[in-house]
Amino acid sequence: MMTARAQGVGFRSERGPILIALMLSTGLVAIDSTIVATAVPSIVRDVGGFASFPWLFSAYLLAQAVSVPIYGKLSDMAGRKPIILTGIGLFLLGSVLCGVAWSMPSLIAFRALQGLGAGAVLPVSVTIAGDIYTLQERAKVQGYLASVWAVSSVVGPSLGGIFSALGIWRGIFLVNVPLCLLAGWMLIRTLHENVERATHKVDYAGAVLLAGSLGLLILGALQGGQAWAWNSSISIGVFVVGAVLLVAFLLVERRAAEPILPAWVVSRRLLATTALVSFGVGAMMIGLTSYVPTFLEGALSSSPLVAGLALAALTLGWPLSASQAGKFYLRIGFKSTALIGIAIAVMGLLILSLTASTPNVALIAVSCFVVGLGLGLLATPTLISAQSSVPWHERGVVTSTNMFARSIGSALGVAVFGAVANSIYGGSSGGDSDQATVISASGAVFLAALVAGLLTVAAVLAMPAVKAEDSGNSDAEPVPTQAEGSSSQAAAGGDVPTGKS
């Protein structure tokens, strides 16, 4: 029986089919995040509802964000395979329904269903990678998964544009069908795991309260200042009710036998600080992805394609550095690697902020690429350090919490950056159609993203200095096994072997 080290990493290794399935699963979410935006004009012309189209994105993001922690806990209880297959099934159903949607409200509802599927697919894919690969291999695997986002940043907008030009916008959703079927089939055939067969007490009350509280709080952050004023009765009511439900959730979790979000997730220093880092990554990412295209189109009259390609440099730099992160953290440790990463990211944001007044496509692209390089060296080692510090039966919660923190960072980032930009647009007679105003507003947003980066430096400095060889699962060597087997390794706190091809 070959060990994970002997099998190697790559498509031709014994675990290659699982890696391909994980990349396909990740691709579903990655492409969907970019393909819909280019088809919005066609969708509005066909089904109407221009005033409601932002909900196509908000409903999806909201459903995805609130479901991530729940799926993470369920994957620790029932295993990764049934949860990720459930997620793929929901994403498939949502895609088919979106493809036959008859109105904007129905399309928004079906987008929310897609988001519920994505909430399982993305974090569980990353968790499975943490299960079947050793600590030494995980950075390279994260590079494979990150490369999916790089490809999707180009393929998504291109496909969306093609379908829109041909007048068949429904194809942007139906294209997910074969991808879902292929990913699901490969996971069914190749992924087998040892899961402790025990009776679990599902924390239904905690799940409902968590989803409700986070849903309202994220909704308030996403729609505040856009769908309604920050000081409106609706905005205040959303935040108050969300806060009340959150307090109720915390009280329920104190008595729950198996809480959805255990207290140790935020009480352990490593987990808390890496979640804060992920929060900062989400904020920095949304600052660039939301405003770089607007900046280039408004300041230089660049085409959407050129603006999109300049932004794509961000997702090209990320996988390049992520795939090499293992060489760094195995030698100098997780914290030192993350410090190098955040330093590079801050440098890219600083260049972007300083040169915003003299916009240049090439310089913007280079700045985005540098930020991407930094984020790859920041996000990868912090996530892997968190995963490696816990046994199998806690890794789902840890991974989902880390990714949920990134979602929260993006949601709050949208709110803060939007408020910054709108304050400048509102004070100008030309609004967002005036070139000078666009440059000023975008520069302010880039400066705010730089501040988010500097705050993230503090989170990295607060991380405990844990070397790779000191982490709890650094010596784990997952091997191919049958679907049923002993759960003694899980009970002992090691990695549960998974992955039979």
Side-chain angles (χ1 to χ4, degrees), residues 314-403:
L314 176 72
T315 49
L316 289 174
W318 188 315
L320 287 177
S321 59
S323 63
Q324 301 302 311
K327 297 179 181 179
F328 288 88
Y329 68 63
L330 289 173
R331 177 172 297 182
I332 63 177
F334 295 114
K335 180 176 181 177
S336 297
T337 304
L339 282 172
I340 294 173
I342 187 59
I344 295 174
V346 166
M347 181 176 65
L349 290 169
L350 179 61
I351 296 173
L352 195 60
S353 300
L354 292 177
T355 59
S357 59
T358 56
N360 178 281
V361 175
L363 189 57
I364 294 297
V366 170
S367 300
C368 288
F369 181 75
V370 172
V371 174
L373 287 175
L375 294 181
L377 287 176
L378 174 66
T380 299
T382 50
L383 172 61
I384 292 176
S385 66
Q387 286 184 327
S388 301
S389 69
V390 297
W392 181 92
H393 63 277
E394 294 179 347
R395 191 171 297 139
V397 167
V398 167
T399 303
S400 62
T401 301
N402 190 278
M403 303 191 77

Side-chain angles (χ1 to χ4, degrees), residues 41-248:
S42 298
I43 294 173
V44 171
R45 283 196 301 269
D46 192 2
V47 300
F50 179 80
S52 302
F53 89 82
W55 279 96
L56 290 177
F57 306 98
S58 295
Y60 177 92
L61 292 172
L62 190 60
Q64 180 184 14
V66 300
S67 60
V68 163
I70 297 173
Y71 285 128
K73 178 62 179 180
L74 292 177
S75 75
D76 284 341
M77 297 170 64
R80 323 297 187 210
K81 187 173 182 177
I83 302 304
I84 192 170
L85 289 177
T86 298
I88 291 174
L90 289 173
F91 197 89
L92 172 62
L93 178 60
S95 297
V96 172
L97 292 174
C98 283
V100 298
W102 55 90
S103 65
M104 185 62 74
S106 65
L107 184 57
I108 291 171
F110 300 147
R111 282 284 288 166
L113 183 59
Q114 271 191 310
L116 288 177
V121 170
L122 197 55
V124 178
S125 293
V126 176
T127 306
I128 292 173
D131 289 341
I132 69 174
Y133 291 100
T134 65
L135 182 64
Q136 291 77 8
E137 298 168 329
R138 288 175 195 165
K140 185 176 292 186
V141 173
Q142 288 298 321
Y144 276 98
L145 296 179
S147 69
V148 174
W149 290 91
V151 173
S152 300
S153 67
V154 178
V155 173
S158 301
L159 280 178
I162 292 173
F163 282 125
S164 296
L166 295 176
I168 49 173
W169 63 266
R170 297 178 187 274
I172 68 175
F173 299 109
L174 298 180
V175 73
N176 293 326
V177 173
L179 295 177
C180 286
L181 294 175
L182 180 59
W185 177 78
M186 292 188 70
L187 286 170
I188 292 172
R189 290 288 303 271
T190 62
L191 178 62
H192 301 274
E193 56 187 351
N194 292 330
V195 180
E196 182 181 0
R197 306 302 175 185
T199 301
H200 294 281
K201 191 171 183 180
V202 181
D203 181 18
Y204 293 108
V208 171
L209 289 171
L210 178 64
S213 61
L214 295 180
L216 288 172
L217 293 174
I218 296 174
L219 176 65
L222 287 173
Q223 298 301 316
Q226 299 184 48
W228 50 70
W230 286 108
N231 58 355
S232 67
S233 58
I234 296 178
S235 181
I236 296 173
V238 165
F239 282 114
V240 168
V241 175
V244 170
L245 292 179
L246 182 60
V247 171

Side-chain angles (χ1 to χ4, degrees), residues 13-47:
S13 68
E14 191 166 359
R15 293 164 296 175
I18 301 178
L19 177 59
I20 294 173
L22 295 180
M23 292 178 70
L24 282 171
S25 301
T26 302
L28 294 172
V29 181
I31 292 178
D32 191 82
S33 66
T34 58
I35 195 173
V36 176
T38 54
V40 166
S42 298
I43 294 173
V44 171
R45 283 196 301 269
D46 192 2
V47 300

